[in-house]
Amino acid sequence: MREIPKPTELDQVERKYVRETRCFKTSRVFPTDVNNHNTLFGGKLMSYIDDIASITASKLCRVNTVTASTDSVDFLYPINPTDSVTLESFVPWTGRSSMEVFVKVIREDLKTGEKKIAATAFLTFVALDENNRKLIVPRIIPETEEEKKLYETAPARAAMRKQRREESKKFADFLTVSYPWE
């Protein structure tokens, strides 16, 4: 007779639907927001991405969260001064104390109504208690086809993040901390 496995700590963790973490932000592109190519400055978009991702992370666990990494930001289509930019953000997957946040950036030409995916981003956040110790985060339940695809492909992204972080730590050990004038 097969022994029934004992429940683990993670089996007892709260579960949340992806939709409970979803956030939206829409902004107009103003002349002060564009670069020398007359498109939205990448740094401005990255600021929007980190901002909405942090809100999404907090909605998942309702505690303090910190950005552990910006795993990728892929600029796919330019955002022009005639566009609005809408960011949609949600948590498609969680680890033990970390969560992956996906941000989809949609540019809409305000004159024609044409919409395109302008950028995508993956970030990792960690949940912390009041003493800055890691907390276990809720498990995620995907519902839509988009959410399920991101959920299914998340373990491969998590493995790449772990490997990249280990390589970054080794590389950081090689780097100097002194300034040239010292």
Side-chain angles (χ1 to χ4, degrees):
M1 188 160 137
R2 208 170 112 202
E3 189 176 315
I4 298 172
K6 295 178 183 174
T8 68
E9 190 176 34
L10 289 178
D11 292 330
Q12 309 303 316
V13 172
E14 176 185 11
R15 297 185 186 288
K16 286 193 174 181
Y17 291 99
V18 170
R19 66 179 135 85
E20 295 178 76
T21 70
R22 200 172 299 271
C23 293
F24 295 90
K25 173 190 181 82
T26 301
S27 296
R28 179 180 284 277
V29 178
F30 288 106
T32 56
D33 299 330
V34 298
N35 59 26
N36 58 318
H37 302 289
N38 205 34
T39 59
L40 182 64
F41 182 59
K44 180 83 167 184
L45 183 58
M46 290 171 70
S47 176
Y48 288 163
I49 289 169
D50 193 45
D51 180 43
I52 196 167
S54 71
I55 295 167
T56 294
S58 293
K59 285 180 74 168
L60 173 70
C61 50
R62 302 294 180 184
V63 298
N64 291 329
T65 61
V66 294
T67 309
S69 65
T70 300
D71 306 322
S72 66
V73 178
D74 293 312
F75 300 98
L76 306 172
Y77 192 83
I79 301 168
N80 302 305
T82 57
D83 298 335
S84 68
V85 60
T86 299
L87 290 85
E88 178 183 353
S89 177
F90 55 89
V91 175
W93 186 79
T94 57
R96 180 181 165 79
S97 62
S98 66
M99 66 207 80
E100 178 181 79
V101 178
F102 175 67
V103 181
K104 177 176 26 174
V105 179
I106 303 165
R107 62 66 98 194
E108 179 179 354
D109 186 309
L110 293 172
K111 293 181 179 176
T112 67
E114 178 191 23
K115 295 178 186 175
K116 290 199 180 227
I117 301 295
T120 59
F122 287 96
L123 299 90
T124 302
F125 282 77
V126 175
L128 301 174
D129 68 13
E130 55 280 342
N131 297 312
N132 291 328
R133 289 186 301 238
K134 292 180 180 180
L135 292 171
I136 295 174
V137 298
R139 304 296 100 203
I140 280 295
I141 304 167
E143 296 176 286
T144 69
E145 290 305 310
E146 185 177 61
E147 293 167 359
K148 289 175 184 176
K149 177 71 171 177
L150 287 164
Y151 183 85
E152 291 165 4
T153 56
R157 286 189 302 277
M160 287 188 306
R161 273 192 295 275
K162 184 177 180 181
Q163 179 182 354
R164 189 180 62 248
R165 186 167 180 84
E166 289 170 6
E167 290 170 5
S168 290
K169 284 182 178 179
K170 288 177 187 174
F171 185 64
D173 289 340
F174 171 77
L175 300 174
T176 63
V177 294
S178 58
Y179 299 113
W181 58 85
E182 293 181 323

